[in-house]
């Protein structure tokens, strides 16, 4: 009975309301909850520690939320058909043989890393990687290099051409059927920076063209900014060997373009291509070469095209300027409104306002002096091209003289600018190869598939005199240059006189019904023998630009020591 009574009291106490003794009732329950929480946390920490040791979760989460910083690199996955559109700025270029506008066009970029050997892609601002191509690089030996049809026959010793770095993997090498050398497959030539000319006195512009079986550093499908008119393969050109000829100076080596080295040399700097559509051609070549290692951010506007390479804060700029001097359509004296007037003694103010922000300027002009214009000096009309209403009044200067004056004007203006201390490169007159007439009178370069051989060069009197006037203008400007300005002449005219094979010819459009052969009457189809196919000879210009910049920076560093 006593035990039953005790049990009854215990049951009554348990069933009594909690409010009767809240402290005594709540304390044991709270303590047990805390113990359970601590135990669970301990288990979680143990599991998390094991996971952190086996997989870097922290870096993955950080990358997901914060993205990749300017120095970061990431390997992009390969997705077939994964595309992204890239905006292109307004381009109102009108040249002697073409008019094109890329305003509002959407260019598709296929993400593909096929053939890339352990080279990561810099990614910025959600811009997918470029269409990276397979480019064959590495050691090369040109012994008794003979060229087809007897066009060129040259001999090179092993140390006369680019030598590759030590091959660490024999699996990556493949036999070169034309040169007998082994080559690595990578996105960027590993040897390009090791074989440059260390002799600043070596003339880069005297040499010869040789066949390089390694081929170009990009393909026409691997560059989203390639203008359709320069996309010769995309437009159906049947031959490709024009892409393989490279320039070899007689006394030194000109390395293959090294995009990584260029971006490093230009770290934090801006290079500007200023001039006509041939300047556009060269700028697009530069972008195609650089695009193989990094997709730039398009920051262009109506005044200029601007492409920003985030990894090194390098900017590539292009500004349109037909003649490089001031122009107006306002009436002057007996020249009415509407006809273009060129003030040969004043620079084009549309780009001069920007030059303090440039570190390297590459100038291109000349071909527009074949177009209608009026020449003005000291506010006096002194000549004209395809315009001179009063035949009884003698002209003081013609278009060739006007070109020489314009060169002196623009170079002097840049060199004397108080806020510009950069490097200015004047690329000499780019030769065209219209045969049997001019661009608008049936001239043709149809069927040209390889460079001219020594002794086959056809003299072009107009190209020769334009080149001479340009050099004379450059020399006059040099005499006026201040110590802080740097003017360099990139004299490509003679070397490129041999490259009649490098133009689009009739393959300047995607039209499947375009004419590509002469008609029954012998009349050639419409064609472009002025601009350059890409890839093609024009890429050599940027190899030269890189070498000029490398020499200039090396000279500046040595003089400061």
């Amino acid at each position: 009975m006593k035990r039953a009574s005790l049990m009854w009291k215990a049951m009554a106490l348990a069933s009594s309301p909690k409010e009767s003794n809240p402290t005594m009732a709540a304390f044991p329950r709270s303590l047990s909850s805390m113990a359970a929480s601590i135990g669970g946390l301990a288990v979680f920490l143990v599991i998390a520690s094991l996971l952190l040791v086996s997989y870097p979760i922290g870096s993955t989460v950080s990358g997901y939320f914060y993205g990749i910083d300017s120095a970061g690199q990431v390997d992009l996955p390969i997705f077939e058909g994964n595309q992204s559109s890239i905006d292109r700025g307004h381009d109102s270029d009108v040249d002697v043989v073409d008019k094109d506008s890329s305003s509002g066009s959407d260019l598709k970029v296929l993400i593909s890393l096929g053939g890339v050997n352990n080279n990561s892609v810099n990614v910025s601002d959600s811009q997918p990687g470029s269409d990276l191509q397979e480019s064959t690089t590495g050691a090369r030996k040109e012994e008794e290099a003979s060229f087809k049809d007897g066009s060129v026959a040259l001999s090179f010793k092993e140390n006369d051409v680019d030598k590759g770095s030590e091959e660490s993997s024999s699996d990556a090498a493949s036999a070169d059927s034309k040169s007998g050398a082994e080559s690595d497959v990578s996105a960027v030539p590993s040897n390009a920076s090791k074989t440059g000319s260390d002799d600043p006195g070596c003339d880069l512009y005297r040499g010869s063209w040789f066949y390089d079986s390694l081929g170009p550093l990009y393909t026409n499908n691997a560059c989203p900014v390639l203008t359709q008119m320069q996309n010769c393969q995309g437009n159906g050109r049947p031959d490709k060997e024009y892409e393989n000829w490279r320039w070899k100076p007689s006394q030194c080596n000109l390395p293959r373009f090294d995009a990584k080295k260029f971006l490093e040399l230009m770290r934090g700097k801006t290079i500007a291509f200023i001039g006509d559509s041939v300047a556009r051609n060269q700028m697009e070549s530069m972008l195609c070469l650089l695009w193989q290692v990094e997709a730039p951010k398009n920051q262009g506007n109506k005044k200029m095209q601007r492409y920003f390479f985030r990894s090194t804060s390098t900017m590539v700029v292009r500004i349109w300027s037909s003649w490089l001097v001031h122009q107006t359509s306002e009436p002057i004296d007996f020249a009415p409104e509407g006809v273009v007037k060129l003030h040969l003694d004043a620079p084009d103010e549309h780009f001069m306002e920007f030059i303090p922000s440039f570190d390297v300027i590459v100038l291109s002009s000349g071909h527009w002096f074949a177009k209608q214009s009026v020449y003005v000096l000291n506010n006096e009309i002194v000549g004209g091209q395809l315009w001179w209403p009063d035949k009884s009044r003698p002209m003081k200067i013609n278009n060739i003289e006007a070109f020489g004056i314009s060169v002196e004007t623009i170079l002097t203006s840049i060199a004397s600018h108080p806020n510009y201390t950069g490097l200015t490169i004047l690329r000499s007159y780019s030769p065209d190869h219209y045969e049997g007439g001019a661009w608008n009178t049936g001239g043709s370069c149809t069927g040209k598939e390889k460079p001219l051989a020594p002794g086959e060069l056809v003299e072009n009197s107009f190209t020769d005199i334009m080149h001479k006037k340009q050099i004379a203008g450059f020399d006059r400007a040099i005499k006026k240059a201040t110590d802080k300005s740097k003017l360099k002449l990139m004299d490509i005219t003679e070397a490129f006189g041999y490259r009649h094979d490098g133009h689009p010819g009739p393959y300047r459009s995607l039209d499947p019904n375009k004419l590509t052969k002469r008609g029954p009457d012998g009349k050639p189809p419409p064609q472009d023998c002025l601009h350059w196919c890409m890839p093609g000879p024009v890429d050599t210009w940027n190899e030269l630009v890189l070498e000029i910049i490398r020499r200039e920076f090396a000279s500046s560093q040595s003089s400061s020591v």
Side-chain angles (χ1 to χ4, degrees), residues 36-49:
S37 298
I38 293 172
L41 181 61
V43 172
F44 174 78
L45 290 174
V46 170
I47 296 174
S49 299

Side-chain angles (χ1 to χ4, degrees), residues 305-324:
Q305 291 177 286
R306 301 167 73 241
Y307 289 88
F308 181 69
F309 292 84
R310 185 178 176 184
S311 64
T312 58
S313 296
T314 301
M315 186 76 78
V316 176
V317 167
R318 185 219 159 211
I319 301 178
W320 171 258
S321 181
S322 314
W323 287 278
L324 298 180

Side-chain angles (χ1 to χ4, degrees), residues 246-317:
R246 289 193 61 229
W247 179 248
K248 172 69 173 65
S250 299
Q251 300 173 338
C252 57
N253 297 317
L254 180 64
R256 289 169 70 86
F257 189 88
D258 187 333
K260 289 182 177 179
K261 180 172 184 177
F262 178 87
L263 290 173
E264 190 57 43
L265 283 171
M266 291 295 295
R267 177 177 290 274
K269 295 180 174 61
T270 297
I271 181 171
F273 295 89
I274 302 175
D276 52 22
S277 62
V278 186
R280 178 198 66 207
N281 205 168
Q282 184 175 359
M283 182 274 290
E284 289 174 352
S285 165
M286 175 65 78
L287 287 177
C288 288
L289 291 164
L290 297 177
W291 211 292
Q292 308 314 303
V293 299
E294 181 179 349
K297 174 71 174 180
N298 185 352
Q299 298 181 347
N301 52 43
K302 290 185 177 181
K303 288 188 175 182
M304 70 176 77
Q305 291 177 286
R306 301 167 73 241
Y307 289 88
F308 181 69
F309 292 84
R310 185 178 176 184
S311 64
T312 58
S313 296
T314 301
M315 186 76 78
V316 176
V317 167

Side-chain angles (χ1 to χ4, degrees), residues 169-220:
S169 172
S170 59
D171 295 335
S174 61
D176 188 318
S177 61
K178 292 184 182 290
S179 64
E182 292 185 344
S183 55
D184 293 332
V185 178
S186 62
V188 181
S190 61
N191 63 323
S193 63
K194 296 186 177 182
T195 57
S197 167
D198 294 323
D199 178 11
C202 170
D203 189 346
L204 294 171
Y205 314 111
R206 297 293 178 268
S208 55
W209 294 95
F210 74 96
Y211 188 89
D212 183 359
S213 58
L214 292 181
L217 292 174
Y218 64 95
T219 69
N220 66 302

